[in-house]
Amino acid sequence: MLNFTGLQQDKYYVKCFVVPFQSTCKCTGKWAIDSLDMKKLWPNLDFTLNRNTVCLKDSTKVYFAKDVKGFKGSTLHYQWDADSMIVLKDTFVRNFKGTVQMNLRIYDDSGCDYSKTFSLPVDPVHALDVTPQVLQCGRDTLTLAAYSKSTHSYWYGKYSVKDAANTVVETRLDSIFKYYFSQPQNTVQSEFYSDQGCYQSYQTTVTIDTTTIRTSNANLVLCKQMKQFDLLNLQATPKGGNWSNNISGNNNIVRLDTFTAYPYRLPIQYEYQNTATQCHFAKEDTLLIWDTVRLMLKSVPALCFELKYWDAAKQYGLTTSSKGRWVAQKSPLKMDSMGMVEPRASRSKIHALYFVQTDNQGCIEWYKGEVEIAEPKLQLKAQSDLVIGYAPLKVNFTGSNTLLNSTQYFWDFGVKATTKDTATGGVAKYTYSDTGRYLVKFMGKVQGCWDTITLPIIQVGSLGTQALKVESGLKIYPNPTKAGGEATLVYWKNASVLAGGAAGAAGSLGNAGTAGGSNPQRSSENGEIQIINAIGQRVAVYPTTSAGNGEIQIALPQSGVYFITANWLLNAAIWVVE
């Protein structure tokens, strides 16, 4: 009789081992309480299982007892009993899906008999909370986590994100893995280890539908005259979606002639469904409805006040036609309907300008822009010391800008032969070698602005009075006059004289019918003769009283070119004093 004291109310497995003769059986009996550590409680019996833990991912495992010592019989018998499944051999094959109660009995033909009842545990390995295939409609942050079904908590693991080329782009150790997936496809490798050494891994393919809706001509401005507008003209991508609006519903056509209030904002929406992923996308926009379309042009920075013309149509790329015209409303901007602006005829300020046209739909379009005309930078003045003379004629020129000092100057002396006939600087000189009429230009440049003025025409003739077109009613000899500036002036009122020299002129004063060229003359009882210098100043006056012919002595010591006029003649004589 065995007596046990101090045991609590519980379930115990008590085994009695019968010891046969020592010579035939060396097994030793021992009372034992069930434990998984069979090797510790039964040291004399090498009662070994190949493994005492089942990982949840294992679908089929074989468990067996081997190298059992302490039995001396010729035949060793095994008996497995697990959930009423009895196997009479040393191996046990079972598909474990949870914790299993197992019993193993080993005995031989000598009478040694051992049995063991124990519970085979299942490692609380985890499962990933997502399916192997994840589809996300649009870029987003996805969460991956391993969840323990036995402890109901998240498991710490290693997550590796791989791109389409199978290159690892992110590795992280975490219990809950969050990652922003933006590429079309990624693969996540999830790996976990348990305290019992069980390993579990998952591979999750994450597919991202990166569809992006784009529409051209967003915020398009429409007008009532168009009557209707086809939303397909907005050229939405990807194609194949449907437009909708709050007037016509799911219809691509917007009826504009039904509106009564302007301007009017019409919300529209484009919806698209990807047939491959079945993901749905939508984008909202707004149409502006006006009676008149108003569009903004860019602003043009300061134009030089000195510009003669500026082409607004060319600047803005708007072709002027019978349907379009340029307008400067209530602005001191000199501009014609073709877009030609005259800055120097306008006020220096920022001006608003408009281009008005009617499009093919009958809509009136107003294009508004701004142009700034800067303050003037150039006010040129120039003069020459001579305007008429005989070749070679040396002329001195001076010019300046009365507004700004830092100015570049350029002269064009009116001779188109070579670059030597030009000069720079505010002061210049030039010798005219040939007869003719020359238009001199004086140009200035400052801060990128140009201006040009012209001087009085310079006339260059030869020494003959005929070449200088002397009036036939006046004759000067000698001409030119050398040092001293004294000459004889012969005049006549009612007859012509031969232009054959001083003696011939003096001998013909009384011959009214002498042959020679004749010019129209004005007869006068009294008269006067004036001498005028090259810049138009009167320097001498000689009165005449004779109604016929006469001569007077004139003197002018200062060199230069002078004009001699008589109040009864139409033309003037030219007198050169050297």
Side-chain angles (χ1 to χ4, degrees):
M1 177 69 67
L2 295 176
N3 295 319
F4 288 88
T5 60
L7 295 179
Q8 302 296 322
Q9 293 182 358
D10 204 341
K11 181 179 181 180
Y12 295 93
Y13 295 90
V14 180
K15 306 295 181 182
C16 179
F17 298 96
V18 179
V19 181
F21 292 101
Q22 186 68 25
S23 59
T24 59
C25 181
K26 294 183 179 181
C27 59
T28 302
K30 180 179 293 185
W31 296 101
I33 298 176
D34 185 18
S35 172
L36 294 180
D37 194 345
M38 292 176 286
K39 190 172 184 179
K40 181 178 179 181
L41 292 178
W42 295 348
N44 295 327
L45 176 63
D46 192 351
F47 197 102
T48 305
L49 290 176
N50 74 321
R51 187 173 176 182
N52 63 359
T53 301
V54 176
C55 297
L56 186 63
K57 75 170 185 177
D58 297 339
S59 60
T60 302
K61 284 294 180 180
V62 176
Y63 287 85
F64 57 92
K66 65 177 180 178
D67 299 329
V68 178
K69 299 178 181 179
F71 292 91
K72 293 300 182 178
S74 60
T75 302
L76 192 62
H77 303 276
Y78 296 86
Q79 180 177 323
W80 294 89
D81 185 0
D83 294 340
S84 301
M85 181 180 179
I86 299 177
V87 176
L88 301 176
K89 56 182 179 179
D90 61 345
T91 60
F92 180 77
V93 180
R94 176 67 184 271
N95 181 15
F96 298 101
K97 296 182 179 180
T99 301
V100 178
Q101 295 291 329
M102 302 185 67
N103 180 271
L104 174 61
R105 177 189 175 199
I106 302 177
Y107 60 93
D108 60 12
D109 54 3
S110 66
C112 289
D113 191 335
Y114 294 91
S115 64
K116 179 66 177 178
T117 300
F118 56 91
S119 176
L120 187 64
V122 175
D123 190 8
V125 186
H126 25 271
L128 204 63
D129 276 355
V130 297
T131 60
Q133 295 288 335
V134 176
L135 172 62
Q136 178 67 33
C137 295
R139 303 165 179 84
D140 201 356
T141 300
L142 300 183
T143 301
L144 298 178
Y147 182 75
S148 173
K149 294 183 177 180
S150 59
T151 62
H152 303 289
S153 61
Y154 290 100
W155 202 272
Y156 197 80
K158 176 183 178 183
Y159 298 88
S160 300
V161 181
K162 301 178 182 179
D163 59 15
N166 206 33
T167 301
V168 177
V169 297
E170 176 82 11
T171 299
R172 198 183 306 167
L173 296 175
D174 209 336
S175 58
I176 299 178
F177 177 65
K178 295 182 178 181
Y179 186 76
Y180 181 77
F181 292 90
S182 59
Q183 299 300 318
Q185 190 170 35
N186 290 103
T187 301
V188 182
Q189 184 74 22
S190 309
E191 301 175 274
F192 309 96
Y193 290 89
S194 72
D195 295 337
Q196 302 296 332
C198 288
Y199 171 81
Q200 180 68 294
S201 67
Y202 302 92
Q203 181 167 296
T204 305
T205 300
V206 181
T207 302
I208 303 295
D209 189 338
T210 58
T211 299
T212 301
I213 295 179
R214 293 182 175 87
T215 57
S216 63
N217 299 326
N219 293 323
L220 185 67
V221 180
L222 308 177
C223 71
K224 181 179 179 180
Q225 291 88 346
M226 295 177 65
K227 294 186 179 180
Q228 66 181 26
F229 177 72
D230 191 345
L231 291 174
L232 293 180
N233 293 333
L234 295 178
Q235 299 177 358
T237 58
K239 298 180 179 179
N242 294 317
W243 286 97
S244 60
N245 61 84
N246 61 355
I247 299 297
S248 305
N250 295 325
N251 192 331
N252 293 330
I253 303 299
V254 178
R255 293 295 304 272
L256 302 175
D257 51 2
T258 61
F259 295 111
T260 57
Y262 295 90
Y264 187 91
R265 304 179 68 89
L266 175 63
I268 57 175
Q269 185 180 62
Y270 183 73
E271 299 180 71
Y272 171 80
Q273 184 169 354
N274 191 323
T275 55
T277 63
Q278 296 302 311
C279 290
H280 181 271
F281 300 89
K283 179 181 179 181
E284 293 185 353
D285 215 322
T286 302
L287 291 179
L288 301 180
I289 315 298
W290 297 72
D291 277 330
T292 300
V293 179
R294 293 171 175 85
L295 302 175
M296 290 300 298
L297 301 174
K298 62 182 180 180
S299 297
V300 176
L303 296 177
C304 292
F305 179 84
E306 290 74 18
L307 279 176
K308 289 183 175 63
Y309 295 102
W310 176 74
D311 192 343
K314 182 178 181 181
Q315 173 69 35
Y316 291 114
L318 296 174
T319 303
T320 305
S321 63
S322 59
K323 294 184 178 181
R325 68 185 187 281
W326 289 89
V327 179
Q329 283 189 331
K330 300 180 182 179
S331 174
L333 179 68
K334 183 68 173 179
M335 181 177 69
D336 62 19
S337 62
M338 302 299 290
M340 297 303 296
V341 178
E342 299 181 49
R344 65 177 62 200
S346 306
R347 185 180 302 174
S348 298
K349 58 173 290 186
I350 297 177
H351 302 267
L353 50 82
Y354 304 88
F355 180 72
V356 186
Q357 70 174 358
T358 303
D359 64 12
N360 294 331
Q361 302 290 341
C363 299
I364 300 175
E365 297 177 339
W366 280 82
Y367 294 82
K368 180 182 179 181
E370 288 185 344
V371 59
E372 179 182 2
I373 298 179
E375 294 292 333
K377 302 179 180 65
L378 290 160
Q379 186 174 352
L380 299 179
K381 290 186 177 181
Q383 64 181 15
S384 63
D385 61 349
L386 295 175
V387 294
I388 194 166
Y390 61 90
L393 180 63
K394 297 179 180 179
V395 184
N396 296 311
F397 300 92
T398 57
S400 64
N401 177 16
T402 61
L403 295 182
L404 296 174
N405 293 327
S406 56
T407 306
Q408 293 176 289
Y409 300 110
F410 181 81
W411 295 89
D412 182 351
F413 301 120
V415 180
K416 305 302 182 183
T418 65
T419 56
K420 295 181 180 179
D421 300 311
T422 60
T424 57
V427 178
K429 58 183 178 180
Y430 188 77
T431 300
Y432 292 91
S433 302
D434 299 323
T435 61
R437 292 164 57 87
Y438 300 94
L439 178 63
V440 180
K441 296 180 181 179
F442 178 58
M443 290 156 278
K445 178 183 180 183
V446 59
Q447 298 178 4
C449 295
W450 282 89
D451 199 7
T452 304
I453 62 173
T454 58
L455 280 69
I457 293 176
I458 294 179
Q459 303 182 67
V460 180
S462 62
L463 288 179
T465 57
Q466 279 300 107
L468 293 177
K469 297 183 179 179
V470 176
E471 171 65 54
S472 59
L474 298 172
K475 192 164 185 66
I476 306 167
Y477 61 92
N479 187 11
T481 301
K482 302 300 182 182
E486 295 181 356
T488 300
L489 175 65
V490 179
Y491 65 90
W492 56 97
K493 296 182 178 180
N494 299 316
S496 300
V497 297
L498 295 172
S508 303
L509 293 176
N511 299 326
T514 305
S518 178
N519 288 330
Q521 299 163 355
R522 293 175 293 176
S523 177
S524 176
E525 292 294 331
N526 299 314
E528 67 178 15
I529 294 176
Q530 297 184 11
I531 299 178
I532 302 172
N533 64 14
I535 61 175
Q537 296 175 328
R538 188 171 64 178
V539 297
V541 178
Y542 296 93
T544 64
T545 57
S546 173
N549 308 320
E551 73 177 44
I552 58 177
Q553 297 297 317
I554 58 176
L556 204 62
Q558 187 174 1
S559 62
V561 178
Y562 299 90
F563 302 91
I564 302 176
T565 65
N567 63 344
W568 65 84
L569 296 175
L570 294 175
N571 298 322
I574 298 177
W575 179 26
V576 180
V577 180
E578 290 186 340

